[in-house]
Amino acid sequence: DARVTQTPRHKVTEMGQEVTMRCQPILGHNTVFWYRQTMMQGLELLAYFRNRAPLDDSGMPKDRFSAEMPDATLATLKIQPSEPRDSAVYFCASGLVSFDGESDTQYFGPGTRLTVL
Amino acid sequence: KNQVEQSPQSLIILEGKNCTLQCNYTVSPFSNLRWYKQDTGRGPVSLTIMTFSENTKSNGRYTATLDADTKQSSLHITASQLSDSASYICVVSAPRAGGANNLFFGTGTRLTVIP
């Protein structure tokens, strides 16, 4: 049963520290998404990769957030320096995108719950 | 302004009863609409995806409808079970040049099914 995996599942850190979250997409999927979810804002798209290339990261604060896919089996989301307002659950999702840019289904990982003190 | 609004915000129903969740959107142009179920502490799971030409799509006891003219969608749950307790999120996709769609998220409906 193929699944998206994320590590760590929980992270507590102090303001100013660097945080790195990792995601292993489902083998064979060509798109990876990073989302952030808070009670106030709900789900927000942060970044979107297709075939490891970043297609959209307009939802991400560029000054402190960065997303990369060093290879097809690993996506990372880094926050440096972290701030209390970054506290949220960060989800990674992967999927298959057709030629017209549509993804039939996105499969979400279990999320990383980040708390910045 | 592109928006997705869901109602009600929360809903409590008795096990075995039916319920309907609403999603109204102003997103244009339109590519597709998805309903997700999110259990507490877990990632969302896709229930249905509908394109412009689809009016109804079912997934077990879940039936989604779409009226692209009025920009309304509903998710109907039949014979609810305790395991249906979750948040249900409506997501509308709009096409954009370059192949990456814009996604607009509703804030979800929190459904609680009680015995």
Side-chain angles (χ1 to χ4, degrees):
Chain A
D1 187 20
R3 297 184 184 188
V4 175
T5 58
Q6 289 185 248
T7 57
R9 293 294 310 277
H10 302 272
K11 176 73 176 179
V12 180
T13 190
E14 293 186 342
M15 182 173 64
Q17 296 298 305
E18 177 179 299
V19 175
T20 299
M21 291 168 271
R22 293 176 174 80
C23 167
Q24 182 172 4
I26 293 174
L27 190 65
H29 282 185
N30 61 355
T31 56
V32 172
F33 305 80
W34 282 105
Y35 294 91
R36 175 171 61 186
Q37 187 176 41
T38 62
M39 289 293 292
M40 295 299 294
Q41 300 292 333
L43 267 173
E44 302 172 276
L45 178 65
L46 297 176
Y48 167 33
F49 289 78
R50 187 195 301 176
N51 296 324
R52 295 178 53 200
L55 280 194
D56 183 5
D57 59 1
S58 59
M60 207 163 62
K62 301 291 192 306
D63 56 338
R64 297 182 301 107
F65 284 61
S66 62
E68 296 179 345
M69 277 202 76
D71 62 61
T73 64
L74 177 64
T76 62
L77 180 66
K78 188 176 296 185
I79 308 174
Q80 168 63 22
S82 58
E83 297 181 2
R85 58 180 168 151
D86 300 329
S87 297
V89 181
Y90 291 81
F91 288 104
C92 173
S94 71
L96 277 171
V97 176
S98 59
F99 73 95
D100 59 1
E102 273 307 308
S103 176
D104 287 332
T105 301
Q106 293 182 31
Y107 296 85
F108 282 74
T112 293
R113 181 174 294 276
L114 173 66
T115 303
V116 183
L117 303 174
Chain B
K1 183 179 178 183
N2 289 313
Q3 287 185 314
V4 177
E5 295 187 352
Q6 292 187 243
S7 62
Q9 276 193 322
S10 60
L11 182 62
I12 300 174
I13 62 173
L14 288 174
E15 185 179 12
K17 298 295 186 182
N18 303 336
C19 67
T20 300
L21 314 180
Q22 286 296 134
C23 174
N24 297 338
Y25 61 94
T26 60
V27 177
S28 183
F30 172 88
S31 190
N32 61 59
L33 184 148
R34 293 182 176 90
W35 282 94
Y36 285 95
K37 177 188 178 189
Q38 185 176 21
D39 293 315
T40 301
R42 293 177 174 263
V45 175
S46 178
L47 293 175
T48 62
I49 178 171
M50 288 186 292
T51 58
F52 185 88
S53 59
E54 296 175 298
N55 300 120
T56 303
K57 185 165 280 190
S58 292
N59 178 359
R61 294 179 298 101
Y62 301 101
T63 299
T65 65
L66 174 64
D67 186 333
D69 291 331
T70 62
K71 298 187 177 179
Q72 295 180 326
S73 176
S74 65
L75 181 69
H76 186 76
I77 304 175
T78 304
S80 61
Q81 300 176 358
L82 298 179
S83 59
D84 293 331
S85 296
S87 289
Y88 292 84
I89 302 169
C90 175
V91 183
V92 180
S93 178
R96 186 174 60 177
N101 290 340
N102 281 324
L103 300 180
F104 299 91
F105 296 87
T107 53
T109 292
R110 177 71 204 174
L111 174 65
T112 303
V113 180
I114 58 176

